[in-house]
Amino acid sequence: MDKAAHPQAQGWLAFFCFIEASFFPIPPHPLLGLMCLAEPRNALRFGIIATLSSVAGGVLGYAIGWGLYGSIGEWLIATLGYAETFPVAQCRFAELGPWAVFIGGATPVPFKLMTLTAGFMEMALLPFILASLAGRGLVFVVVGALFRVFGTPIKAFIERYLGLVTTVFALLVVAGFLAITQLRGADDGKDGAKACAAAVPLDDRTG
């Protein structure tokens, strides 16, 4: 709340969104909400700042997972409490690819877990950035747009329903994509399961 009223609030928003996407445990959503509540006419700009900063921080998380997992990434995973979740994230990446990043950006799934895992799994950088923009934008830009259009009365709706709405929408998009890919051949599911199983053990980079 103190940072939301700060003269450099936009800078603080960018800073918190950046570090949250790679290692900071506290999400920036409350700060964004308070800023939008205080200045609804600038809310869309705040949402864009949050999105771009979060994606930039996601690239840092990607870099840590890709090149510094043994020295920094593994420690981060353990410190953040994701040691047991990390193999599951690997599995999801093997199944979904960029859609896993989109889900992490648009739902309560920790985005930093997705960015670290994407780097560790050596996901192509451009699809990672595009999926991050889509996922983070779905949350942050939508919040800014709602405040810009409806003003402070939209606050109650956002607090109660936005997380559920964006989660359902993200899952529907991914489910639709998977349904289309399944129509391409009956062996797709088997191949995905094999890739998922192969991704669970940490590779030689961890040791």
Side-chain angles (χ1 to χ4, degrees):
M1 292 181 65
D2 177 64
K3 299 308 178 190
H6 196 278
Q8 302 299 325
Q10 294 182 58
W12 283 112
L13 176 64
F15 174 72
F16 283 122
C17 287
F18 180 86
I19 62 175
E20 186 272 338
S22 52
F23 61 86
F24 192 63
I26 301 175
H29 303 71
L31 176 59
L32 174 62
L34 288 170
M35 290 175 60
C36 292
L37 187 62
E39 298 184 60
R41 284 188 290 184
N42 293 323
L44 185 57
R45 180 172 67 186
F46 297 155
I48 293 173
I49 290 173
T51 298
L52 296 179
S53 302
S54 184
V55 172
V59 173
L60 173 60
Y62 177 99
I64 293 173
W66 179 77
L68 299 171
Y69 182 81
S71 57
I72 298 177
E74 192 170 12
W75 174 81
L76 267 180
I77 291 292
T79 301
L80 293 170
Y82 299 148
E84 295 183 0
T85 312
F86 186 63
V88 179
Q90 287 182 279
C91 180
R92 295 294 173 261
F93 264 88
E95 290 180 326
L96 303 175
W99 292 105
V101 179
F102 174 71
I103 292 174
T107 71
V109 174
F111 186 52
K112 63 185 70 62
L113 175 62
M114 295 294 101
T115 65
L116 291 166
T117 307
F120 181 80
M121 298 289 287
E122 298 184 350
M123 177 182 174
L125 184 58
L126 181 58
F128 168 79
I129 292 175
L130 294 177
S132 298
L133 282 169
R136 295 277 84 177
L138 180 60
V139 176
F140 295 140
V141 175
V142 165
V143 168
L146 288 174
F147 268 104
R148 180 66 181 85
V149 173
F150 298 104
T152 55
I154 200 65
K155 178 178 180 289
F157 173 84
I158 289 175
E159 291 178 343
R160 180 171 296 184
Y161 298 115
L162 183 67
L164 176 62
V165 170
T166 55
T167 297
V168 170
F169 178 78
L171 294 178
L172 286 175
V173 170
V174 175
F177 171 79
L178 292 178
I180 292 173
T181 59
Q182 289 300 314
L183 294 176
R184 295 177 182 173
D187 291 335
D188 287 352
K190 295 179 181 179
D191 293 341
K194 291 178 181 178
C196 180
V200 173
L202 300 184
D203 65 18
D204 293 337
R205 291 164 61 190
T206 62

